[in-house]
Amino acid sequence: MTAIYLIRHAEAEGNLYRIAQGQHESNLTGRGWRQVNALERRFANISIDAVYASDLYRTRATATAIYRSHGLPLHLEKGLREICVGDWEGRTWGDIVRRTPEAMADFSSRMDRWSIPGAETPAEVLKRVRATVERIAGENPGKTLALFSHGYAIRLLLANLQGISLRDTGEKSPTGDNTAVSLLTGEGTDLRVVWQNDNSHLKTPEFLAGEKSVRRAFALEPGLWFRSLEGPELQSRLSQWSEARPSDGAPLSLEGLLGEEPVGLLQLEPVTGRIILVYLRPEYRRRGFGIQLLGQAVQYTRKQGGEVLSAALAPQAPGEAFFRNGGFVPQGQTAQGQILWQKSIGFDPLV
C-alpha cells in the first residue's frame, strides 16, 4: 500500500497581497515560513521515503519542511504546478473581478465552464495533475511519499478522486488552507482519499503564539485594484486627504481602489525600492488593505530587479507598527536622523 501526503504550499505573497499567482513566481511571507516550521514539527516523527514538489518557488520552499529535516533529495515535477491563469497572472483579484466578474465567479464555482485566453482549463489541469500523481505512485509502490502542490490543483484532484464532477467541485470541494495536508492511499495507480485538508499543525500553541490579531483575506476574496495617478489628478486627491504628506516628483504614484471607491495611495521609487508614502483613509485602516499597497511596492520593485524595500520614518512614528507588521526591520538611522526600515523581497537561492 502506497501512502501519499498531499500538501498545499505555505502562505505566499499572492495570498497575502490578493494577487493572482497561477504559475507566476512569488515568495513566501513571514507567516508562510512559520507555517513551514509548523509543518516540519508535524512530520518530525513520520517516516517519509521520497519528497516531490512542483517546480515553482513557493512549493519548493514549503517542501524544505520535510526533505531537509529527513535528509532526502527533492524531486521537481512540473505536472504538480498550479493552474496557469493566462493574463490574470500577476494582476490583483480586485482588478480581475472588476473587469471580468462572470469569469471570476466561474473560476471558483463553475470550473466546468471557466476559460480565458492563454490559460489552462480546469479539465486540463486535472488531467496533468492526476497523471503526475498516478505516475509517482506507480513508481513508488509500498512507500510513503510527500507531494507539494497548489490550492486549485489539489482541490481539483481531491474532488475527482471522490467522484465529484468539475461542475460540482466549487460547491462540494473547498480549497484547503496553506500547508493543509491530505492523505491518499492506493495500490499502483488506484488512489483513494483517506482524509483531506487537515491543518491541525496550525492550531498548536507554538504556531498560534506568533499569530497577530489582524484581519486577513481568505480564498478568492477580492481586494483592491490600482491605477497610476499624476499631475492635477494626484494633487486633487492628496488635497482631499489632508493627512497624506506626498513627495513632489515621486516616480510612481498608485491609487488603490475598492470597487470605485479610493482607499489609499502608494508613492514609490521602483528602481531603488524606496517607499516615499503609504497612506490609507482612516475608515479603511485595519482591514487588510495596507498590506496590499505594500504588495504593489514588492511587484514594481522586483520588476526592476530590486531585492529590498526601504522606508525612512521619524523615531516612534505612527507608521512604525505598520511597517514592522509588514516584515520590515529597523536598520539604523539616516543622515537626517530618521530610522531606516528595510524588507528583503529576494528569493532564497538555496531553495
Side-chain angles (χ1 to χ4, degrees):
M1 180 75 72
T2 302
I4 299 175
Y5 290 102
L6 187 59
I7 305 164
R8 186 187 178 196
H9 65 79
E11 183 183 79
E13 291 169 334
N15 305 126
L16 182 60
Y17 301 152
R18 312 312 306 135
I19 293 170
Q21 295 179 114
Q23 296 182 5
H24 177 80
E25 287 286 32
S26 63
N27 213 331
L28 295 190
T29 66
R31 186 181 192 230
W33 283 112
R34 292 198 304 105
Q35 291 173 339
V36 170
N37 293 335
L39 200 61
E40 181 176 348
R41 290 191 292 268
R42 174 176 184 153
F43 280 89
N45 298 314
I46 297 177
S47 179
I48 300 292
D49 296 304
V51 182
Y52 294 78
S54 101
D55 61 338
L56 298 179
Y57 180 88
R58 57 192 186 272
T59 40
R60 303 198 321 262
T62 307
T64 62
I66 295 180
Y67 81 83
R68 285 182 177 175
S69 61
H70 286 65
L72 296 169
L74 177 62
H75 304 283
L76 299 181
E77 291 280 354
K78 286 187 176 181
L80 296 176
R81 279 187 174 194
E82 183 60 294
I83 183 172
C84 171
V85 292
D87 69 2
W88 283 12
E89 297 202 359
R91 290 168 55 192
T92 68
W93 289 117
D95 180 50
I96 292 167
V97 76
R98 175 175 170 268
R99 293 174 182 267
T100 53
E102 292 183 1
M104 180 68 197
D106 286 345
F107 184 69
S108 181
S109 61
R110 283 297 303 271
M111 301 171 181
D112 58 311
R113 65 188 185 194
W114 184 81
S115 177
I116 65 169
E120 293 178 285
T121 66
E124 290 170 336
V125 177
L126 173 60
K127 182 178 179 180
R128 71 163 164 81
V129 172
R130 179 156 184 168
T132 301
V133 174
E134 288 178 343
R135 174 178 55 78
I136 292 170
E139 293 171 352
N140 293 275
K143 295 183 179 180
T144 299
L145 314 174
L147 272 60
F148 290 82
S149 188
H150 304 260
Y152 203 84
I154 291 174
R155 184 183 186 187
L156 291 170
L157 178 62
L158 291 175
N160 181 257
L161 291 176
Q162 295 173 93
I164 301 172
S165 69
L166 273 178
R167 186 187 191 286
D168 294 333
T169 293
E171 178 184 349
K172 297 181 179 180
S173 185
T175 301
D177 293 335
N178 292 111
T179 67
V181 181
S182 301
L183 178 63
L184 313 179
T185 60
E187 297 288 349
T189 60
D190 183 19
L191 301 174
R192 70 182 185 89
V193 179
V194 180
W195 43 261
Q196 67 185 63
N197 296 334
D198 181 80
N199 68 348
S200 55
H201 54 288
L202 303 182
K203 299 178 181 179
T204 64
E206 296 96 328
F207 181 78
L208 293 175
E211 285 288 84
K212 296 180 175 65
S213 57
V214 295
R215 181 185 182 277
R216 305 180 77 88
F218 292 95
L220 298 180
E221 176 186 320
L224 304 180
W225 63 279
F226 294 86
R227 63 171 185 153
S228 178
L229 286 183
E230 56 186 21
E233 189 176 20
L234 172 62
Q235 295 307 316
S236 174
R237 177 70 71 231
L238 288 167
S239 69
Q240 299 171 35
W241 298 341
S242 58
E243 290 180 81
R245 295 186 177 158
S247 170
D248 291 334
L252 177 67
S253 294
L254 290 177
E255 180 180 55
L257 299 98
L258 184 64
E260 300 303 316
E261 184 68 20
V263 168
L265 182 72
L266 167 74
Q267 291 193 302
L268 174 74
E269 292 179 350
V271 174
T272 64
R274 185 171 77 93
I275 295 174
I276 300 167
L277 172 72
V278 175
Y279 176 78
L280 275 177
R281 293 168 60 188
E283 60 267 37
Y284 290 102
R285 295 171 188 172
R286 301 185 182 277
R287 294 175 56 183
F289 296 125
I291 196 68
Q292 295 178 46
L293 294 174
L294 290 182
Q296 292 301 299
V298 171
Q299 295 283 93
Y300 276 86
T301 300
R302 191 174 284 153
K303 286 178 183 177
Q304 297 295 324
E307 296 190 347
V308 176
L309 293 181
S310 66
L313 302 176
Q316 299 182 336
E320 238 183 54
F322 171 76
F323 281 102
R324 190 184 299 277
N325 289 337
F328 287 72
V329 293
Q331 298 290 335
Q333 286 192 329
T334 68
Q336 293 75 33
Q338 295 177 304
I339 306 298
L340 179 65
W341 292 76
Q342 290 187 333
K343 173 185 174 69
S344 173
I345 61 171
F347 294 93
D348 185 343
L350 300 179
V351 168

